[in-house]
Amino acid sequence: MSGFGKRNAEDLRATLEDAVVKCSERCLYQSAKWAAEMSSSLSNRLEESDADTDVDSPMEDAGYSSRAFPVIISANPDPEEARMEAKEIHKYLLAKSFFDCKEFERCAAVFLPSGLPKGSLSAASPNVSTRSPLKSGKGKSKDVKSTASHSIGTGSIPPPNVLPRLSQKALFLALYAKYMSGEKRKEEDSEMILGPVDRGSAMNKELVGISRSLEGWFATRRADESTGGWLEYLYGIVLAKGKNEEDAKRWLIRSVHMFPYNWGAWLELNDLLGSMDELRRITPELPQNIMTLIFLLYASQELYQCSDQQHGQLNDLENIFPENHFLMTQRALLYYHSKDFEEADSIFSVIVHADPHRIDSLDHYSNLLFVMGARPKLAFLAQLATATDKFRPETCCVVGNYYSLKSEHEKAVNYFRRALTLDRNFLSAWTLMGHEYLEMKNTHAAIESYRRAVDINRKDYRAWYGLGQTYEILEMHLYALFYHQRASSLRPYDPKMWQAVGNCYDKINRPVQSIKAYKRALVAGTYYDAGSSFGSGSQPVPSATGIIDPEILFQIALMYERLGELEEAASYMEMTLAQEEGPSTGEDDEDEEGRGAGTGVTNTTSKARMWLARWEFGKGGLGRAMELCNELCMDGVEVEEAKALIRDVRARMEGGVGG
């Protein structure tokens, strides 16, 4: 990024402005907004670099007068496409006005015949068995081909091209309007959120018609014929909706090669990635440009990666796009994932003060404030979002989190339901509503909410963890184990995930596996305490505080006791006890000032002290047993049991049995 000069910045700004126009022409408003925000932050950088120019100098306006500004209708470099677009301009403007008014069927009818097929889309891509300009996945083509032939019945014959001769821009707008019409009708056909007949099975019935129309259109194109990447993007969406993810990835990758500045295509591609391995697998196939760098950063953040590598990538990008709120949000989320809540809060606060009417990602900020227990800040955020737009799903989630923090769970559920009424695919609302139902002990509704969340995004570890917790409440520990394992695979450095796995192994009487899981939790805990990157070493990073979770140590000790390894159990009980005073700072251990701040006396450490007292009593260490019991009496925990053991110790001492 060091060689990114002013000329490069000006070219990138012009490209982004062109992307705004092109996305707007195709009614891809979110992609247009993203490109406009990136272009705006880049303009700030250029203005800062020109700050030394004399205001009265004629050179001040030279750059503006020579610069070509974007027009409302973009030019097409392909002469044939440009000719057709000019011929269709009156129809295109009519169709776009219908789309802007959300009259999707009228928009499509301007260009398309009314007889496109309807029905449920097969999970197989019809394109694979006929014509695929992209390389098929290894070992997959034969199976997919046979499935496509069986399910659609086209065999090796490509479907006929039933579309009229149109420019690619008009064809995209018409087919995209069909897609939006199907989505609108799907919402209308859907039942009340988690109502008695809501199964989440409503389908977009226009997908088949769009898929076959595009299939026929692609079949008539030569392999070397130029396309803009927009129809490939739409076809990738259709394939993803039909659960044909591998083909969807290939078409979306082809789309971003042709037009990399359509952020919507990158978002669709990100939704198809379930792990870092999948991201690494597709990285060599991506174009080599700045959009790929932004995508890799965003996809890594969505997969909960928060290493120095991600922060380094962000530094490079922020040098190009200074004070860009999208990139600032990514940094805040990186800190949030690494549990540096104070730093994440400070970045979100800067964004809110700089752009108080920006609703995007406020649901993440409200999650952060909820975890921090910052009720006044969360109340202010809810008030601000409601004043800006109360009918945005993000706003509803912010208000829902506020009521959840006040323990008004019924009101919180109502707001999360409202968010889902506005957008049934809004992930945060499903997950948060599951949390609320779990608090209300409505396990059936919690399970259904979490299941909808993982159906939308299988990378949401909170939903997997919530499913595990719910099944633990139902005492279905094998189910709980499966879901906790999914959560821990997404968050391998979160001790809470591994602690839940260890608890499930304990419940199904597998102490060896339980010990391994609890030890993984200890390693994960040192990672978060140190606040470091993942690193490559196998040894745990020393904790910033030096304190190890006494609950995990205690559980490991109990597992060793169950295995009959009492010496090992006793050593872990001693370690549990040691967390009360904290680690040694290298000075005299007898001096209290030579130790760090520990946990103090807790219920867990008292249980460990009671266990050690019985252990010492059993092996004849009566003096140590008496000392531990007296400590329990002074702490005021396990007092009755401690007094009973003191009587037994005294009786044995008086009987001359012990020493």
Side-chain angles (χ1 to χ4, degrees):
M1 292 295 181
S2 57
F4 196 88
K6 181 179 178 182
R7 181 63 182 171
N8 302 111
E10 289 174 346
D11 291 342
L12 180 56
R13 178 174 64 181
T15 305
L16 286 168
E17 289 174 347
D18 183 57
V20 173
V21 175
K22 289 181 176 178
C23 291
S24 297
E25 286 176 344
R26 291 159 179 85
C27 303
L28 301 176
Y29 301 122
Q30 294 297 326
S31 296
K33 182 178 77 170
W34 184 89
E37 288 180 349
M38 301 301 285
S39 173
S40 176
S41 60
L42 193 57
S43 297
N44 293 338
R45 178 180 187 265
L46 289 170
E47 288 170 6
E48 289 173 5
S49 68
D50 292 337
D52 295 333
T53 307
D54 184 6
V55 176
D56 297 327
S57 170
M59 294 302 294
E60 174 70 14
D61 298 324
Y64 292 98
S65 60
S66 62
R67 180 180 161 211
F69 287 93
V71 293
I72 301 302
I73 303 295
S74 62
N76 197 311
D78 186 334
E80 180 64 19
E81 284 291 319
R83 186 187 64 80
M84 285 194 290
E85 287 180 12
K87 184 179 178 181
E88 299 162 350
I89 184 64
H90 63 290
K91 285 189 175 181
Y92 164 77
L93 292 174
L94 177 65
K96 188 175 185 304
S97 66
F98 288 151
F99 194 104
D100 293 342
C101 293
K102 301 189 184 302
E103 298 181 34
F104 303 121
E105 285 292 347
R106 289 186 75 188
C107 173
V110 173
F111 291 112
L112 294 181
S114 58
L116 293 183
K118 290 181 171 59
S120 299
L121 187 67
S122 165
S125 165
N127 190 61
V128 178
S129 61
T130 57
R131 175 187 180 275
S132 178
L134 306 170
K135 292 183 180 179
S136 298
K138 226 175 211 182
K140 298 277 184 183
S141 57
K142 183 177 179 182
D143 295 336
V144 176
K145 177 176 178 177
S146 61
T147 307
S149 301
H150 181 267
S151 60
I152 296 182
T154 58
S156 59
I157 302 172
N161 183 11
V162 298
L163 299 171
R165 182 171 171 77
L166 297 169
S167 66
Q168 293 180 38
K169 184 194 291 186
L171 180 58
F172 176 88
L173 181 60
L175 290 177
Y176 188 53
K178 274 287 184 187
Y179 170 78
M180 293 301 296
S181 173
E183 289 293 297
K184 182 180 178 183
R185 195 171 294 110
K186 182 180 79 170
E187 291 296 321
E188 292 168 353
D189 293 342
S190 299
E191 300 294 336
M192 184 182 71
I193 302 293
L194 293 188
V197 291
D198 178 27
R199 297 290 179 267
S201 56
M203 296 293 295
N204 184 337
K205 296 178 181 178
E206 300 292 345
L207 293 180
V208 166
I210 299 171
S211 175
R212 293 182 181 175
S213 298
L214 284 172
E215 181 62 25
W217 188 86
F218 284 123
T220 62
R221 309 291 290 185
R222 298 192 309 272
D224 60 344
E225 198 166 353
S226 168
T227 59
W230 303 98
L231 292 169
E232 287 81 358
Y233 162 60
L234 181 57
Y235 193 45
I237 293 177
V238 171
L239 292 173
K241 290 286 185 180
K243 305 299 182 184
N244 193 351
E245 296 186 357
E246 290 305 313
D247 280 326
K249 286 178 191 175
R250 287 194 286 271
W251 282 93
L252 290 168
I253 290 172
R254 177 174 171 132
S255 173
V256 298
H257 269 280
M258 295 175 178
F259 188 75
Y261 295 94
N262 176 14
W263 183 240
W266 294 104
L267 291 178
E268 291 290 339
L269 184 58
N270 172 71
D271 290 343
L272 298 173
L273 301 175
S275 66
M276 281 301 294
D277 289 337
E278 291 182 35
L279 178 60
R280 295 188 193 100
R281 201 175 304 131
I282 68 163
T283 300
E285 304 174 35
L286 299 176
Q288 300 299 309
N289 56 38
I290 195 169
M291 290 299 294
T292 296
L293 297 178
I294 297 173
F295 168 72
L296 292 177
L297 169 69
Y298 177 78
S300 299
Q301 180 273 122
E302 287 287 296
L303 289 163
Y304 311 109
Q305 304 299 299
C306 43
S307 68
D308 292 338
Q309 179 183 357
Q310 277 74 47
H311 284 286
Q313 291 172 343
L314 254 177
N315 291 336
D316 291 339
L317 289 169
E318 286 183 332
N319 288 333
I320 300 172
F321 302 100
E323 299 180 6
N324 179 263
H325 292 164
F326 170 78
L327 295 178
M328 291 173 69
T329 300
Q330 301 312 300
R331 190 180 293 280
L333 291 174
L334 289 179
Y335 283 123
Y336 178 38
H337 296 329
S338 60
K339 298 190 175 182
D340 191 347
F341 298 140
E342 295 295 335
E343 192 65 34
D345 178 31
S346 67
I347 296 174
F348 273 124
S349 295
V350 170
I351 296 172
V352 170
H353 282 90
D355 190 354
H357 304 298
R358 186 179 190 269
I359 302 294
D360 299 344
S361 301
L362 283 191
D363 54 315
H364 296 302
Y365 188 23
S366 70
N367 291 340
L368 169 66
L369 295 177
F370 179 89
V371 172
M372 295 175 68
R375 183 168 159 183
K377 276 190 176 182
L378 188 51
F380 168 75
L381 191 67
Q383 204 170 25
L384 182 66
T386 303
T388 302
D389 188 349
K390 65 169 64 176
F391 295 110
R392 281 279 293 271
E394 293 91 342
T395 299
C396 296
C397 283
V398 173
V399 179
N401 270 331
Y402 171 70
Y403 281 118
S404 179
L405 192 58
K406 291 178 65 181
S407 298
E408 297 183 28
H409 302 298
E410 292 84 0
K411 283 187 178 180
V413 166
N414 288 337
Y415 274 94
F416 295 138
R417 279 178 175 271
R418 183 180 296 180
L420 292 168
T421 302
L422 295 167
D423 181 1
R424 279 184 178 253
N425 290 324
F426 197 70
L427 174 67
S428 290
W430 282 116
T431 305
L432 294 171
M433 191 163 69
H435 295 343
E436 296 309 304
Y437 279 127
L438 195 59
E439 290 288 336
M440 295 161 65
K441 300 296 186 287
N442 187 343
T443 54
H444 175 76
I447 288 172
E448 187 60 27
S449 299
Y450 289 135
R451 286 194 187 281
R452 298 287 185 88
V454 297
D455 284 344
I456 295 169
N457 182 2
R458 61 181 180 271
K459 294 176 287 191
D460 185 9
Y461 78 94
R462 300 171 303 164
W464 292 112
Y465 181 74
L467 279 168
Q469 281 188 307
T470 310
Y471 279 108
E472 278 191 83
I473 291 173
L474 296 173
E475 297 187 358
M476 301 172 71
H477 299 296
L478 281 172
Y479 282 92
L481 175 62
F482 170 78
Y483 293 119
H484 283 316
Q485 285 175 328
R486 289 296 298 265
S488 63
S489 68
L490 288 166
R491 293 275 286 178
Y493 289 90
D494 193 331
K496 189 166 67 172
M497 305 297 120
W498 289 107
Q499 195 171 354
V501 171
N503 183 57
C504 288
Y505 275 126
D506 177 17
K507 296 296 184 182
I508 61 176
N509 198 26
R510 293 170 67 178
V512 175
Q513 288 84 353
S514 180
I515 289 171
K516 290 180 180 178
Y518 282 131
K519 287 183 176 180
R520 284 290 299 269
L522 293 178
V523 174
T526 59
Y527 162 73
Y528 274 127
D529 284 340
S532 68
S533 62
F534 287 164
S536 57
S538 59
Q539 296 298 320
V541 182
S543 168
T545 61
I547 300 173
I548 304 173
D549 189 344
E551 180 61 33
I552 298 176
L553 293 171
F554 183 70
Q555 293 300 326
I556 294 174
L558 293 181
M559 292 302 102
Y560 277 119
E561 181 186 25
R562 186 181 297 182
L563 291 171
E565 301 179 24
L566 298 181
E567 291 290 343
E568 195 70 21
S571 68
Y572 274 93
M573 289 294 183
E574 292 285 4
M575 289 172 65
T576 304
L577 212 56
Q579 305 314 306
E580 287 184 346
E581 298 180 355
S584 171
T585 58
E587 301 174 13
D588 186 5
D589 287 349
E590 296 299 324
D591 183 4
E592 290 186 2
E593 295 180 357
R595 288 190 172 271
T599 64
V601 177
T602 66
N603 191 42
T604 300
T605 58
S606 296
K607 288 179 181 177
R609 185 175 275 108
M610 191 69 235
W611 190 96
L612 285 169
R614 291 197 183 101
W615 159 256
E616 293 290 347
F617 177 76
K619 68 175 187 177
L622 301 183
R624 170 73 168 148
M626 180 67 77
E627 178 186 347
L628 291 168
C629 288
N630 287 330
E631 289 175 1
L632 282 168
C633 291
M634 286 188 291
D635 294 336
V637 185
E638 306 277 351
V639 175
E640 295 303 321
E641 292 186 34
K643 287 181 177 179
L645 189 56
I646 287 174
R647 287 193 291 269
D648 292 340
V649 170
R650 284 175 177 167
R652 186 173 292 187
M653 283 180 172
E654 291 169 0
V657 178

